């Protein structure tokens, strides 16, 4: 591998940009591709995009030539708005599943290191904090404060972002009211509400499990791959 | 902004760290090789795309299996660092070498090993 190629891979990871490395298994010739760029062109772009979605690297063969397609996705992230009881279960579960987790809650009584040891906590307003975190196609956003003045501004930032999953806590009634308040926003149908899979979850831990289940389903089976990839279809 | 942070305890070895370390090793004057899992059949512990980096002092970071074939890969990598010729190594249950190094997980793995060039 050329040093310049390695440096490019490092830079893309730091900039949270998906990059694909194509290696000819016979000659060792290597090329890179930014598959989510609107200018991306490649005969196998469709397969490559599917591999990016599944975070899966693979070998393809054409005319006796083998090429290894190596997907370098940015790390999976989960941003939780609301340092509530459910979040205390969702944080460790999501970390076990490989997510880099950040909790946003301006209320220090909720969002503090005692309640959330070993976790990134931002005590800023949700919209500001979320805008700074720049959710990408490898980011899930879960909104759990149950307080419209915290939840709604967060959704204003999350909805237009390429986040692969957006969920918001609340009963069917609460969710209907939320949709009414936010009807000026685009793509409201992206919100998973009531949040999580319908598994009859009752306790905070069970609800956290149903949320992580819904996030996993969106990641592995979802067709909502955010703005960039959506444009390709 | 109050923020405390530690890495996720059970996630895989972060690839960005491996790539950065490979660059760092080279800057320190070490020879560096990259080993990448490119194909697997049957059960194998690390999926395609998994990386291990190796230097000319037999230091390794990352993994390409559950620890069964790393030793053999490091040996091959030493030669590749010298001649610069990338090669594909294959380890499987039917493979005598794999038995020697103890790949008993029931799978087959193909690993691409290449030298990190200076430019």
């Amino acid at each position: 591998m050329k040093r310049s190629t390695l440096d490019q891979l490092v830079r893309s990871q730091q900039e949270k940009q998906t990059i694909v490395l194509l290696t000819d298994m016979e000659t060792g010739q290597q090329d890179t591709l930014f598959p989510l760029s609107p200018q991306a062109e490649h005969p196998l772009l469709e397969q490559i995009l599917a591999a990016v979605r599944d975070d899966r690297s693979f070998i393809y063969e054409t005319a006796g030539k083998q090429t290894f397609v190596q997907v370098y996705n940015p790390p999976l992230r989960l941003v939780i708005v609301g340092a509530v009881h459910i979040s205390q279960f969702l944080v460790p579960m999501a970390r076990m599943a490989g997510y880099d987790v950040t909790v946003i809650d301006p209320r220090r009584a909720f969002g503090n290191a005692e309640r959330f040891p070993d976790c990134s906590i931002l005590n800023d307003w949700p919209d500001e904090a979320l805008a700074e975190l720049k959710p990408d196609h490898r980011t899930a956003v879960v909104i759990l404060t149950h307080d419209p003045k915290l939840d709604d501004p967060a959704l204003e930032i999350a909805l237009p972002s390429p986040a692969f999953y957006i969920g918001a806590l609340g009963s069917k009634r609460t969710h209907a009211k939320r949709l009414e308040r936010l009807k000026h926003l685009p793509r409201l149908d992206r919100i998973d509400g009531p949040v999580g899979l319908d598994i009859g979850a009752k306790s905070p831990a069970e609800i956290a499990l149903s949320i992580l289940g819904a996030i996993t389903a969106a990641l592995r089976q979802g067709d909502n791959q955010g703005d960039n990839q959506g444009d390709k279809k | 902004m109050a923020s405390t942070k530690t890495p996720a305890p059970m996630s895989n070895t972060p690839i960005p760290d491996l790539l950065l370390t490979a660059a760092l090793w080279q800057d320190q004057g070490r020879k560096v090789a990259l080993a990448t899992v490119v194909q697997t059949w049957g059960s194998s512990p690390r999926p395609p795309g998994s990386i291990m980096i190796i230097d000319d002092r037999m230091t390794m970071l990352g993994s390409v299996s559950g620890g069964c074939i790393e030793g053999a890969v490091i040996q091959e990598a030493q030669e590749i660092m010298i001649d610069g010729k990338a090669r594909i190594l294959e380890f499987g249950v039917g493979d005598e070498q794999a038995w020697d190094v103890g790949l008993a997980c029931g799978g087959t793995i193909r690993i691409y090993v290449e030298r990190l060039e200076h430019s």
Side-chain angles (χ1 to χ4, degrees), chain A residues 83-140:
Chain A
V84 297
H85 200 180
I86 295 168
S87 313
Q88 288 180 291
F89 292 93
L90 184 53
V91 169
M93 285 181 193
R95 289 178 63 191
M96 277 189 252
Y99 289 80
D100 193 344
V101 186
T102 305
V103 175
I104 302 171
D105 201 318
R107 306 165 299 181
R108 283 172 197 274
F110 285 83
N112 60 61
E114 206 168 320
R115 282 165 53 80
F116 291 88
D118 302 330
C119 175
S120 287
I121 303 165
L122 301 177
N123 290 123
D124 301 320
W125 279 92
D127 49 350
E128 287 168 21
L130 200 53
E132 197 156 318
L133 290 170
K134 294 191 183 66
D136 58 26
H137 72 288
R138 298 271 289 165
T139 307

Side-chain angles (χ1 to χ4, degrees), chain A residues 166-187:
Chain A
I166 300 169
L169 185 72
S171 64
K172 284 196 180 108
R173 256 191 73 201
T174 308
H175 189 59
K177 280 195 220 158
R178 172 185 293 133
L179 294 182
E180 184 58 30
R181 282 196 312 275
L182 297 177
K183 64 180 177 215
H184 59 284
L185 291 178
R187 303 169 68 190

Side-chain angles (χ1 to χ4, degrees), chain B residues 5-104:
Chain B
K5 192 176 158 73
T6 53
M10 298 182 72
S11 62
N12 296 331
T13 314
I15 289 209
D17 292 359
L18 292 178
L19 298 176
L20 260 178
T21 306
L24 184 76
W25 283 358
Q26 188 177 63
D27 293 343
Q28 291 170 344
R30 311 191 208 178
K31 292 192 177 78
V32 184
L34 284 94
T36 307
V37 178
V38 294
Q39 227 167 359
T40 62
W41 296 266
S43 86
S44 59
R46 305 285 284 132
S50 304
I51 293 175
M52 176 166 81
I53 59 171
I54 305 120
D55 77 356
D56 51 354
R57 301 174 204 172
M58 314 282 275
T59 315
M60 63 165 174
L61 204 64
S63 67
V64 289
S65 77
C68 11
I69 58 169
E70 272 77 359
V73 174
I74 291 172
Q75 292 295 343
E76 288 282 343
Q78 299 306 312
E79 277 176 48
I80 291 163
M81 282 174 211
I82 294 164
D83 67 22
K85 262 190 71 189
R87 39 204 102 150
I88 298 168
L89 310 179
E90 196 170 312
F91 300 94
V93 169
D95 186 326
E96 212 162 283
Q97 192 184 12
W99 275 120
D100 286 349
V101 295
L103 183 72

Side-chain angles (χ1 to χ4, degrees), chain A:
Chain A
M1 182 184 289
K2 287 183 189 155
R3 174 61 186 261
S4 56
T5 305
L6 182 91
D7 290 341
Q8 193 187 21
L9 296 176
V10 169
R11 213 163 38 241
S12 305
Q13 295 264 303
Q14 285 167 342
E15 289 165 2
K16 297 195 175 10
Q17 216 175 3
T18 296
I19 186 168
V20 170
L21 176 68
L22 304 146
T23 306
D24 184 316
M25 291 281 92
E26 201 159 333
T27 64
Q29 162 81 28
Q30 286 174 324
D31 296 300
T32 53
L33 173 77
F34 292 99
L36 299 181
S37 146
Q39 287 88 39
E41 267 181 50
H42 195 274
L44 283 158
L45 193 57
E46 209 166 300
Q47 287 96 313
I48 291 173
L49 287 173
V52 165
R53 191 189 79 182
D54 299 342
D55 197 31
R56 172 176 53 79
S57 300
F58 66 102
I59 281 195
Y60 76 82
E61 285 192 66
T62 39
K65 191 175 126 171
Q66 288 196 330
T67 305
F68 182 54
V69 179
Q70 191 169 7
V71 174
Y72 285 91
N73 265 318
L76 284 170
R77 289 189 293 160
L78 170 63
V79 181
I80 303 172
V81 178
V84 297
H85 200 180
I86 295 168
S87 313
Q88 288 180 291
F89 292 93
L90 184 53
V91 169
M93 285 181 193
R95 289 178 63 191
M96 277 189 252
Y99 289 80
D100 193 344
V101 186
T102 305
V103 175
I104 302 171
D105 201 318
R107 306 165 299 181
R108 283 172 197 274
F110 285 83
N112 60 61
E114 206 168 320
R115 282 165 53 80
F116 291 88
D118 302 330
C119 175
S120 287
I121 303 165
L122 301 177
N123 290 123
D124 301 320
W125 279 92
D127 49 350
E128 287 168 21
L130 200 53
E132 197 156 318
L133 290 170
K134 294 191 183 66
D136 58 26
H137 72 288
R138 298 271 289 165
T139 307
V141 180
V142 174
I143 293 179
L144 301 176
T145 72
H146 233 297
D147 179 346
K149 74 175 183 298
L150 294 172
D151 282 359
D152 291 2
L155 284 166
E156 302 227 8
I157 303 294
L159 279 171
S161 82
F164 74 86
Y165 176 86
I166 300 169
L169 185 72
S171 64
K172 284 196 180 108
R173 256 191 73 201
T174 308
H175 189 59
K177 280 195 220 158
R178 172 185 293 133
L179 294 182
E180 184 58 30
R181 282 196 312 275
L182 297 177
K183 64 180 177 215
H184 59 284
L185 291 178
R187 303 169 68 190
L188 282 179
D189 58 331
R190 295 186 71 203
I191 306 175
D192 180 24
V195 70
L197 299 180
D198 188 4
I199 54 171
K202 287 220 179 333
S203 72
E206 289 169 358
I207 295 167
L209 186 63
S210 85
I211 294 172
L212 189 57
I215 293 172
T216 307
L219 176 70
R220 300 301 180 194
Q221 304 176 324
D223 50 9
N224 175 15
Q225 291 299 307
D227 281 341
N228 294 330
Q229 209 155 327
D231 292 345
K232 297 265 169 226
K233 289 186 182 154

